Amino acid sequence: MKVSGLKVILWAALLITGMAKAQQTPADARYFGKEFTPQNVVPAAQVAAKVGAKDSVYLQTEGVVKEVCRQKGCWMKVDAGNGEEMLVRFKQYAFFVPKDAAGKKVVLNGKAFAYQSSVAEQRHYAEDAGKSKKEVASIKKPRKAVRFEADGVMLF
């Protein structure tokens, strides 16, 4: 059987592409929402700089989950470095993540944007997270932060 040079090149390209994809996606990854292939992933600590003065930026980011809503898994906070956290909600409330995801690595696909969180909203999230009444009451001023609306989450 004779194999043309073009077929060999095409098979090699497919093999290399498959190997690259396998290296980008951990074998134990679990998807929530839309499945995606990680590409040009930005560390969570750099997301605020990417947003800058823009309304929003579509990107992929990675980090470690610090906290998850104890009620449903309907939001999570990702470590954004320097003691900061990035609140992540899920597009159109279409999916949730496991409530035991804290401490796991995550890659997010979606939209980052600047946001000012009211005192009432911050207290609501603190209550969802199981904070004490004293901790909830200590929240006294609005807070500027970067938020993320994920349409897909890869957790591992």
Side-chain angles (χ1 to χ4, degrees):
M1 180 166 108
K2 188 175 180 181
V3 179
S4 74
L6 181 57
K7 284 184 181 179
V8 170
I9 292 170
L10 288 174
W11 278 108
L14 284 172
L15 180 62
I16 290 168
T17 302
M19 288 171 48
K21 186 174 180 180
Q23 289 174 355
Q24 292 174 341
T25 306
D28 60 344
R30 294 176 19 202
Y31 286 93
F32 301 89
K34 175 178 129 181
E35 285 194 28
F36 60 94
T37 301
Q39 295 177 345
N40 303 317
V41 178
V42 175
Q46 296 176 10
V47 172
K50 292 282 185 187
V51 172
K54 300 174 188 165
D55 287 337
S56 62
V57 177
Y58 287 88
L59 54 80
Q60 292 180 354
T61 185
E62 66 182 348
V64 175
V65 178
K66 289 186 76 175
E67 194 172 3
V68 177
C69 172
R70 291 186 178 184
Q71 304 299 316
K72 299 180 195 176
C74 57
W75 56 263
M76 68 179 157
K77 292 182 180 177
V78 173
D79 185 354
N82 296 326
E84 295 293 317
E85 299 172 332
M86 180 173 58
L87 181 67
V88 179
R89 296 184 63 182
F90 310 113
K91 188 171 184 173
Q92 298 177 336
Y93 212 59
F95 61 95
F96 303 134
V97 296
K99 293 184 275 184
D100 65 351
K104 295 185 178 173
K105 187 172 178 184
V106 67
V107 178
L108 308 168
N109 188 77
K111 176 176 69 171
F113 55 97
Y115 186 83
Q116 180 150 330
S117 182
S118 70
V119 170
E121 184 180 41
Q122 291 177 72
R123 288 180 174 177
H124 171 79
Y125 285 118
E127 288 169 355
D128 276 359
K131 302 288 184 189
S132 71
K133 289 184 186 233
K134 184 178 180 181
E135 288 173 299
V136 172
S138 72
I139 300 168
K140 298 194 186 283
K141 59 183 181 176
R143 182 170 182 258
K144 289 183 181 180
V146 171
R147 287 211 174 160
F148 199 91
E149 181 185 61
D151 59 17
V153 172
M154 182 178 19
L155 184 69
F156 49 100

